[in-house]
Amino acid sequence: MDYTIILQAGIASGTVLLFATIGELFAERSGVLNLGVEGMMLIGAMSAFSTTIATGNPWLGVLVAMIFAGLISQIHAFIVITLQADQVVSGLALTFLGAGISLVLGEGLSKAGTVSLLPNFSIPLLTLIPIIGKIFFTNQSVLVYVGYLLVPLSWYYINRTRPGLHLRAVGEYPSAADALGINVFRMRYFYVFVGGMMAGLAGATISLAVSPGWFSELTTGGQGWIAIGLVIFAQWDPFRAAIGAYAFGALRRLILDIQGPLVLFGFANPFYYNPYLGFFLQMLPYLFTVVVLVIGSREALRKRIGAPAALGNPYVRGERGL
Amino acid sequence: MINQTSSMPSSPPQAPLVVEMRGIVKRFPGVLANDHVDFELLHGEIHGLLGENGAGKSTLMNVLAGLYRQEAGTILVKGEPKAFSSPRDAIKAGIGMVHQHFMLVPSQTVTENILLGLDDPRFIMRLPDYNTKIAELGERFGLKVDPRAKIWQLSVGEQQRVEILKMLYRGVDVLIMDEPTAVLAPQEIEGLFVTLRAMIAQGKSVIFISHKLQEVSVIADRVSVLRRGIATASGVPSKGVSRQELARLMVGRDVIFALDKKPGRPQDVVLEVTDVHAESDKGLPALRGISLNVRAGEIVGVAGVAGNGQSELSQVISGMRRCAQGQVLLNGDKISNRNTLFGIQHGMAYVPEDRTHVGSAPNLSVTDNVIMKNFRKPPISKNGLLDMKAATKHANELKLAYDIIVPTVSTPVRLLSGGNLQRVILAREISGLPAFMVAVQPTRGLDVGAIEGVHRLLLAQREAGAAVLLVSEELEELLSLCDRVYVIYEGKIMGEVMIGDDEPDEGAALSLSKGLVDTIGQMMTGTPLDQIQKEGVAAHD
């Protein structure tokens, strides 16, 4: 086993998680928890793949995926921002809705055959860096490079720009933002939309780049949930999100690849001979997600790790609510 | 009468009007908060707006600040009629308000909070540039605060300065301060007054909302008084009116300032807190080695500016927060780091800070709320089931005994006024005949009548031989009720002062309490008592 190849594939796989995590991070920074990431990713994966098959243009596929998933996210936005319903319940419903829509519209899509994929390329010069160049900059999908740019840009946007300042204020203390003339409702709709678009992009990354094709709900295989866990692990910071996403991407690849060879480190590979061990390994990322979500739902701990203070609370503009 | 001013050379030239409010009416469900109120603000004055809690002062000013919309009446700013639909409009017209609850984002820096909602910077924030700009502005008005500091790192006094800076940065000419001294230590109040005077000197005007007569007569040039939504005085020069007169205008009757406090007879120590350390919700150290004791038959106060560990201390004592080190003994039994039930069974009563969420269950009835502690015992508990008849009877008895004004005891307590709700909580806590009671801010937000009632109940507990720990930010309240007062600062006890309970003539009492207030004030800002005493001795030498 060549570990640089595993890591190289892991980065591509982690890009999926990265997009979904950063998208959810924006929504949560504005105070809206959206558990519908998995559903929106399925919508994105399905619509990207089918658009690409129909038109032959993968770029159009990416665009349609982002818009479709973004629009679906607005259902959640309407329910939790305007109707002020429970964000957890609405987010779960969105997951089922997204899965349902994509399964119906994607019916027959799995037999559709090949599509023109998004281009892969290497970055000249950077590939020459030992190890790093091989893992990060050699023969990666264009979307992987987009991911590299997205991380510092997101950080800069959140921490060093005026709209980023407003975003943080809306998620931390919406009434203070409202008192200074910031439209809390509009901001939240917008960032839920951003989260939806990013989830759609994550889905498109799967079906057009990382493991091309449409395999119904197995296409995403629960990565939306991992992304939600990663947001908490990242403590709502894009750089930490990137570390988490790439680490998990690499882990996913490793778990797949470790079951391949007959011999591992000079011993008979137990993961090859006992498939149940492989299943156990595949479970680990989800176990992590469950643990992180449980930790993240503890109020005291959430405060400690820097969750947006207004996360999960609808904003009600009460006349006497000061 | 060609020239009025020259014919009366003794009267000062009238400053131009900045704000004129005419016939303002504002209603809330069930309350007429402002009933045709007129209000005038002159250029370059500090205008005191007096009234009890619920008199409609904040409502009137929220109308002026664009937060509420009046139902009738007009607002003129510098002679021009204005209709504000948001605080932003009001700020554009030069009117800014500093609310009692600060509108600051805790995780952001001072500069970020000030820039929030402004069009400049357009997109990229070059924070260092703005930091210097804000530091300069602060210098001009004597508002010292580090622009790079995060809000949660600042004291309440500093946060208030940030709020004022926020308004000055937006170029307001009229600053409305809503109960600004409620959260400040005496020395910080002095600093605030200096700032307000500096603002007046630079051509701004200030409206100072307060329910404290004393400070209004010190700081304000003119005073207006509201009572139950009606203006009982408008723009009276504060020099020409006595405190008694103002009090009558506020309350509508003569106010008795003295309480019937009998000499104390402290008995054995009931509550003993030893070297308690605890963390806040954020995981920061909130209590750093607190030791104190409370004896039977005395009221012991905990004074301090809000956020110095009072809440955490009361939670550790009541069993709602774990302490990392140290212990709390109640009549010799260790009650810290056990559950609240253990404390209750050993005679603990708790009147929490948050009346509506911790102290009561808002949607449950008065009956349900008063039996929350004794439902395990007969007569409420009968064969392991609730006897609702007995519960209702119990609730009705308490309703009578504690003067709870409510149509029936099945009314949900969320419909009760603050004073009534506090009586429900006190009724529940006191009827269990506690050995010890901790009361946190029991009179906050209540009107004068309700405050008197709570004070009397606390004194009755002392008479009955219970030990009472009273946490309060109102120094006057502590001085009039307590036998001893501990001062807390950043999670440490700065010192303990005795309060004499015999009141000689008024003058002597005043000078005595003046010295006490000074000492307590210094401790509230972080000077330990032994250091104050050392300096005092040095000054005498």
Side-chain angles (χ1 to χ4, degrees):
Chain A
M1 270 200 323
D2 181 354
Y3 70 94
T4 52
I5 290 178
I6 293 177
L7 288 178
Q8 193 186 6
I11 293 295
S13 167
T15 302
V16 175
L17 287 171
L18 180 73
F19 289 145
T21 306
I22 298 248
E24 178 68 8
L25 190 149
F26 272 101
E28 291 194 16
R29 272 296 182 102
S30 81
V32 181
L33 175 71
N34 187 353
L35 292 182
V37 179
E38 178 79 4
M40 298 187 295
M41 280 173 73
L42 280 169
I43 293 269
M46 180 277 299
S47 51
F49 191 66
S50 64
T51 307
T52 309
I53 284 186
T55 65
N57 184 344
W59 294 107
L60 197 62
V62 171
L63 187 70
V64 169
M66 291 177 74
I67 291 172
F68 196 179
L71 289 177
I72 284 283
S73 77
Q74 295 302 286
I75 298 175
H76 178 66
F78 178 72
I79 291 172
V80 303
I81 300 169
T82 303
L83 302 182
Q84 294 157 1
D86 186 280
Q87 299 186 354
V88 171
V89 175
S90 169
L92 286 174
L94 188 68
T95 292
F96 296 129
L97 182 71
I101 291 176
S102 56
L103 291 188
V104 170
L105 296 183
E107 174 66 31
L109 208 57
S110 48
K111 302 185 280 288
T114 53
V115 291
S116 54
L117 291 173
L118 286 164
N120 279 24
F121 57 89
S122 305
I123 306 272
L125 295 177
L126 290 180
T127 50
L128 300 177
I129 307 170
I131 305 174
I132 304 269
K134 179 91 189 294
I135 295 170
F136 288 93
F137 301 111
T138 306
N139 196 31
Q140 291 284 22
S141 166
V142 58
L143 290 177
V144 171
Y145 300 113
V146 170
Y148 296 161
L149 293 178
L150 184 70
V151 177
L153 286 180
S154 300
W155 185 89
Y156 191 83
Y157 178 86
I158 292 171
N159 293 299
R160 290 285 182 272
T161 71
R162 186 177 75 115
L165 173 69
H166 291 185
L167 163 65
R168 281 182 285 142
V170 165
E172 289 287 340
Y173 198 167
S175 44
D178 193 24
L180 294 172
I182 296 167
N183 189 329
V184 176
F185 302 103
R186 197 194 300 161
M187 295 273 290
R188 288 191 167 175
Y189 267 100
F190 176 72
Y191 286 107
V192 171
F193 188 72
V194 169
M197 290 206 310
M198 297 299 295
L201 177 61
T205 309
I206 301 174
S207 65
L208 298 180
V210 175
S211 44
W214 172 248
F215 313 98
S216 62
E217 74 272 18
L218 294 175
T219 315
T220 53
Q223 291 188 72
W225 296 106
I226 297 178
I228 291 165
L230 281 176
V231 175
I232 297 169
F233 165 82
Q235 300 182 353
W236 296 267
D237 175 80
F239 281 106
R240 292 187 56 130
I243 294 170
Y246 291 135
F248 267 81
L251 188 65
R252 274 175 70 86
R253 286 308 308 189
L254 184 72
I255 291 166
L256 281 180
D257 293 345
I258 208 168
Q259 298 171 54
L262 291 167
V263 179
L264 199 64
F265 302 118
F267 296 98
N269 183 355
F271 302 109
Y272 177 81
Y273 292 104
N274 185 351
Y276 294 109
L277 278 177
F279 293 142
F280 179 79
L281 287 181
Q282 282 170 28
M283 180 196 71
L284 290 178
Y286 303 101
L287 191 65
F288 158 85
T289 304
V290 170
V291 170
V292 169
L293 285 179
V294 168
I295 291 172
S297 62
R298 283 198 50 200
E299 186 70 27
L301 224 93
R302 255 176 38 179
K303 271 187 197 165
R304 216 174 274 203
I305 60 177
L311 180 59
N313 304 330
Y315 179 59
V316 188
R317 195 179 189 175
E319 271 215 315
R320 294 211 99 164
L322 294 167
Chain B
M1 292 233 293
I2 303 156
N3 194 331
Q4 238 184 348
T5 39
S6 68
S7 69
M8 292 192 294
S10 59
S11 79
Q14 182 86 346
L17 276 178
V18 191
V19 171
E20 247 185 297
M21 298 176 85
R22 293 265 165 266
I24 301 295
V25 176
K26 176 73 196 172
R27 223 179 292 269
F28 290 110
V31 198
L32 186 56
N34 288 154
D35 185 2
H36 297 91
V37 176
D38 293 344
F39 180 84
E40 284 180 352
L41 179 70
L42 299 177
H43 179 81
E45 73 164 343
I46 298 179
H47 194 126
L49 183 56
L50 264 175
E52 284 197 77
N53 287 305
K57 318 173 291 263
S58 299
T59 307
L60 183 68
M61 287 303 122
N62 278 330
V63 167
L64 181 57
L67 210 63
Y68 298 165
R69 202 92 184 255
Q70 74 270 29
E71 274 137 49
T74 49
I75 300 173
L76 292 112
V77 179
K78 290 172 190 148
E80 278 176 55
K82 297 271 179 190
F84 303 138
S85 59
S86 75
R88 206 176 205 182
D89 293 349
I91 288 169
K92 249 182 232 151
I95 298 169
M97 181 157 172
V98 173
H99 294 273
Q100 216 173 333
H101 302 286
F102 299 146
M103 296 284 203
L104 297 169
V105 184
S107 59
Q108 295 183 355
T109 69
V110 171
T111 302
E112 286 177 322
N113 266 284
I114 291 171
L115 294 181
L116 198 60
L118 290 176
D119 295 333
D120 170 56
R122 199 63 238 162
F123 188 74
I124 289 168
M125 295 187 296
R126 298 181 49 83
L127 280 178
D129 300 357
Y130 291 98
N131 284 341
T132 36
K133 227 166 142 182
I134 283 157
E136 279 167 18
L137 185 70
E139 205 116 314
R140 234 180 86 199
F141 291 98
L143 292 159
K144 223 182 75 192
V145 62
D146 177 8
R148 285 172 307 239
K150 294 238 162 85
I151 296 300
W152 61 265
Q153 297 169 319
L154 301 179
S155 72
V156 184
E158 288 172 306
Q159 291 185 20
Q160 186 176 58
R161 281 175 232 158
V162 179
E163 282 283 17
I164 298 174
L165 273 174
K166 201 155 94 180
M167 289 305 147
L168 291 175
Y169 189 83
R170 284 162 171 72
V172 302
D173 303 317
V174 176
L175 188 71
I176 306 166
M177 305 281 302
D178 192 357
E179 303 271 2
T181 59
V183 293
L184 301 181
Q187 279 82 354
E188 289 177 311
I189 295 177
E190 267 314 303
L192 173 69
F193 285 1
V194 170
T195 298
L196 294 184
R197 291 198 182 100
M199 287 171 55
I200 296 305
Q202 299 186 39
K204 313 264 180 201
S205 316
V206 174
I207 302 171
F208 188 95
I209 308 176
S210 180
H211 66 268
K212 293 183 188 162
L213 292 165
Q214 168 116 38
E215 56 189 37
V216 168
S217 46
V218 169
I219 187 72
D221 301 312
R222 296 195 307 151
V223 185
S224 293
V225 184
L226 283 184
R227 184 173 79 233
R228 291 188 191 166
I230 296 169
T232 49
S234 296
V236 190
S238 62
K239 297 279 176 291
V241 37
S242 75
R243 272 185 70 183
Q244 280 297 334
E245 266 173 89
L246 285 176
R248 205 174 309 127
L249 288 168
M250 257 172 85
V251 186
R253 60 179 163 89
D254 284 313
V255 182
I256 309 125
F257 285 102
L259 271 161
D260 181 27
K261 184 176 157 195
K262 305 216 168 58
R265 290 174 276 111
Q267 314 279 319
D268 300 338
V269 170
V270 173
L271 183 91
E272 176 111 52
V273 176
T274 322
D275 191 33
V276 161
H277 291 251
E279 289 184 346
S280 70
D281 288 344
K282 285 211 153 148
L284 303 166
L287 300 180
R288 301 188 289 181
I290 295 270
S291 297
L292 54 82
N293 62 64
V294 188
R295 292 164 185 279
E298 68 171 353
I299 299 181
V300 173
V302 175
V305 177
N308 275 295
Q310 297 97 316
S311 309
E312 286 83 1
L313 175 62
S314 66
Q315 286 162 355
V316 166
I317 291 173
S318 66
M320 292 184 54
R321 182 178 293 274
R322 296 188 71 77
C323 56
Q325 197 183 318
Q327 61 175 4
V328 181
L329 297 182
L330 180 58
N331 279 330
D333 292 312
K334 180 171 166 288
I335 55 166
S336 48
N337 290 353
R338 295 212 166 150
N339 55 29
T340 44
L341 181 61
F342 187 83
I344 291 168
Q345 284 166 345
H346 285 73
M348 158 87 59
Y350 179 39
V351 180
E353 199 171 0
D354 184 349
R355 245 168 255 157
T356 42
H357 295 104
V358 184
S360 64
N363 287 327
L364 298 188
S365 67
V366 173
T367 309
D368 288 341
N369 271 286
V370 293
I371 63 165
M372 272 174 183
K373 283 179 105 170
N374 57 358
F375 68 91
R376 285 186 191 80
K377 285 182 284 190
I380 314 278
S381 160
K382 202 163 150 192
N383 308 326
L385 295 173
L386 285 183
D387 181 352
M388 282 322 283
K389 241 186 222 154
T392 311
K393 186 164 162 275
H394 177 66
N396 274 314
E397 284 165 11
L398 293 181
K399 180 186 160 196
L400 274 179
Y402 290 88
D403 199 17
I404 301 163
I405 301 159
V406 59
T408 73
V409 289
S410 56
T411 312
V413 295
R414 79 184 130 85
L415 301 175
L416 270 57
S417 71
N420 264 319
L421 179 59
Q422 192 66 297
R423 279 196 284 272
V424 169
I425 295 168
L426 282 164
R428 175 183 69 216
E429 299 299 325
I430 293 173
S431 63
L433 301 175
F436 168 75
M437 176 153 93
V438 51
V440 189
Q441 310 277 9
T443 59
R444 183 194 270 169
L446 305 186
D447 62 38
V448 170
I451 290 174
E452 263 182 48
V454 171
H455 285 174
R456 255 193 244 114
L457 285 173
L458 291 177
L459 284 175
Q461 280 299 291
R462 171 176 176 263
E463 288 295 304
V468 179
L469 186 69
L470 173 64
V471 178
S472 176
E473 283 153 25
E474 299 275 344
L475 265 188
E476 256 175 71
E477 175 172 274
L478 292 172
L479 292 177
S480 63
L481 289 176
C482 297
D483 300 283
R484 288 184 290 142
V485 172
Y486 290 99
V487 183
I488 190 169
Y489 174 77
E490 291 193 342
K492 283 186 192 148
I493 297 288
M494 288 291 120
E496 174 192 354
V497 289
M498 303 294 292
I499 316 276
D501 47 19
D502 47 350
E503 280 182 42
D505 58 303
E506 203 176 311
L510 202 71
S511 72
L512 176 80
S513 77
K514 177 99 175 64
L516 267 179
V517 169
D518 275 355
T519 311
I520 294 175
Q522 282 185 43
M523 288 195 273
M524 279 164 79
T525 46
T527 320
L529 182 62
D530 38 2
Q531 196 178 323
I532 297 169
Q533 282 165 341
K534 238 181 267 163
E535 280 163 14
V537 172
H540 276 294
D541 287 347

